[in-house]
Amino acid sequence: MGWFKVRYYTVKNGRGYWQATPEMKAAGFPASVPCGKDGPRAREIAGLWNSQWDDHRTGRSARRRWPPDSLGDAFERYRDTETWKAKAPKTKLEWERAWRDIEVIFGDLGPADITLADLDGWYRSLLVNTTIDRAWRGMKIWRAMWEVSAAFDLTAKRKDPSLAIRRQTPPRRAERWSEGEVVRLIKAMWRSGHRGLACISAIAWDSQLSPKDARTLTEQHRVPGGFSTLRAKTGRTVLATVSRRTERMIGAYLASITYSRVPNAPLFRSQGGTAFDEFTMSKAFARVRERVFPGDRRTMLDMRRSGAVEAMAGSVDPGALGAKMANSISTARDLQDTYLPVDEATVRRAD
């Protein structure tokens, strides 16, 4: 179609992915980054990852000079802090993508000089000319940048004027699995030789761990009745309890493997004996799902939402559910919107 070529970018089934080399992965970059449907936007995202890699590899940063005490200057100073350097590459990318929309309007201005009218016009322009998701993330990073600017004493102690703007929230996923569907899926995985994937899926269903947390479990995480680990996203401790049926499956899997079990290495492996990364696990999951449920697009992550909905329909206290999921779902409105979409059983319980 004449798209421009981008390094480390591949297309599979019409969707683009930025694929890291072993050197990149050793430096902390994700193994594979989904960029969306193949096209200019997907290739732009891959290009941003290439820019981050080039900056890391060469130790340089091709960044422009901004007027002193401007918003751009504040961002440059922030990128020199250890706090910024400690951010995950994926988080840095989110900031950089949003900054491209922010800098063209506000980069040269002092934060204290930016008004509600300025921000309202900018946000509405993003809504009209891009997508709800892009506008939402742009405003999210603007608000984070205001906090950074305040830390550098550049806001004249004003409140963030954007707080008067109500963001439109991108539609959230609401797909869910039923227990019977998950059982069919896991049986198909086991019978087709995807036994490590079957164990990961069963653990994700029982414990409500995220796919990343489930696939990175190690021998050191094992405790009676399940696993004790830290959530990769929040760093909070979570006790991942599993059913007796899943415990038996894990026992059968561990009895069948031939590789050495290193205490701090991922416990559950692919058919070839290698540890899963985000890309290889999602592809293996999709292959089995297609055989069992042709045309289905649900993911393993949807199991986390499914468990939350079933728990709330069964009158589980939100605080207990928050402990189960290792987040503050009992108080965070966004988390409830994400994991507890409108569900008939929950609504009828309220009735």
Side-chain angles (χ1 to χ4, degrees), residues 25-344:
K25 288 186 281 189
F29 284 74
S32 177
V33 178
C35 301
K37 185 179 179 181
D38 181 38
R41 182 59 178 165
R43 291 166 189 256
E44 178 190 355
I45 293 171
L48 287 171
W49 280 99
N50 283 334
S51 296
Q52 285 204 40
W53 167 244
D54 290 339
D55 288 346
H56 174 85
R57 176 176 56 83
T58 62
R60 63 167 175 79
S61 179
R63 303 187 312 209
R64 62 175 289 187
R65 297 179 66 86
W66 297 95
D69 295 338
S70 64
L71 187 69
D73 180 50
F75 190 34
E76 294 303 312
R77 289 157 64 183
Y78 182 56
R79 289 198 286 191
D80 288 331
T81 65
E82 294 302 317
T83 298
W84 172 264
K85 295 172 185 176
K87 289 183 184 293
K90 210 167 185 176
T91 303
K92 291 180 182 177
L93 177 69
E94 183 180 26
W95 279 67
E96 298 285 1
R97 288 174 62 186
W99 177 245
R100 290 191 173 194
D101 289 327
I102 296 170
E103 66 172 337
V104 294
I105 306 297
F106 303 122
D108 291 316
L109 302 178
D113 298 325
I114 299 170
T115 67
L116 171 60
D118 297 329
L119 287 164
D120 186 61
W122 167 75
Y123 176 65
R124 295 301 161 190
S125 177
L126 285 179
L127 280 177
V128 170
N129 297 309
T130 63
T131 63
I132 293 176
D133 180 75
R134 184 167 167 180
W136 186 89
R137 293 185 184 280
M139 184 60 78
K140 171 187 172 182
I141 299 304
W142 159 265
R143 289 174 176 172
M145 278 299 306
W146 182 269
E147 297 298 323
V148 169
S149 300
F152 287 128
D153 200 24
L154 301 178
T155 61
K157 303 190 184 306
R158 292 172 54 208
K159 289 185 178 180
D160 180 1
S162 78
L163 296 178
I165 300 172
R166 183 174 182 178
R167 290 181 296 174
Q168 290 190 37
T169 303
R172 291 183 169 90
R173 288 181 64 88
E175 288 80 0
R176 304 198 293 272
W177 294 94
S178 70
E179 182 183 12
E181 290 173 323
V182 173
V183 169
R184 287 178 59 193
L185 196 63
I186 291 173
K187 284 183 177 179
M189 291 174 182
W190 187 268
R191 291 166 180 166
S192 62
H194 294 275
R195 297 189 170 187
L197 182 63
C199 290
I200 293 172
S201 301
I203 292 167
W205 174 260
D206 287 347
S207 67
Q208 293 189 259
L209 285 181
S210 71
K212 180 176 181 179
D213 292 331
R215 69 175 165 80
T216 53
L217 290 171
T218 70
E219 187 72 40
Q220 292 178 328
H221 294 136
R222 295 188 72 192
V223 296
F227 299 85
S228 179
T229 184
L230 298 177
R231 282 207 64 201
K233 187 173 182 179
T234 64
R236 293 185 60 176
T237 300
V238 55
L239 178 60
T241 53
V242 299
S243 65
R244 283 193 288 269
R245 178 170 56 184
T246 298
E247 281 192 289
R248 291 194 296 270
M249 180 188 297
I250 292 171
Y253 170 78
L254 295 178
S256 69
I257 60 177
T258 57
Y259 57 82
S260 300
R261 285 156 56 186
V262 180
N264 60 352
L267 198 55
F268 305 106
R269 307 295 186 91
S270 68
Q271 285 178 300
T274 58
F276 285 109
D277 59 30
E278 180 182 0
F279 179 73
T280 57
M281 189 171 77
S282 65
K283 294 297 287 184
F285 184 91
R287 284 195 297 270
V288 179
R289 181 196 61 206
E290 183 62 25
R291 288 200 296 269
V292 182
F293 303 104
D296 202 311
R297 303 295 293 176
R298 287 174 294 178
T299 68
M300 189 184 297
L301 186 59
D302 293 324
M303 293 182 184
R304 185 166 166 84
R305 180 185 305 103
S306 307
V309 170
E310 289 198 6
M312 290 302 291
S315 304
V316 170
D317 177 75
L321 181 58
K324 172 77 172 176
M325 302 181 74
N327 61 32
S328 53
I329 198 169
S330 59
T331 57
R333 182 70 256 169
D334 283 349
L335 287 171
Q336 290 190 10
D337 288 342
T338 298
Y339 293 115
L340 301 176
V342 176
D343 174 78
E344 182 180 358

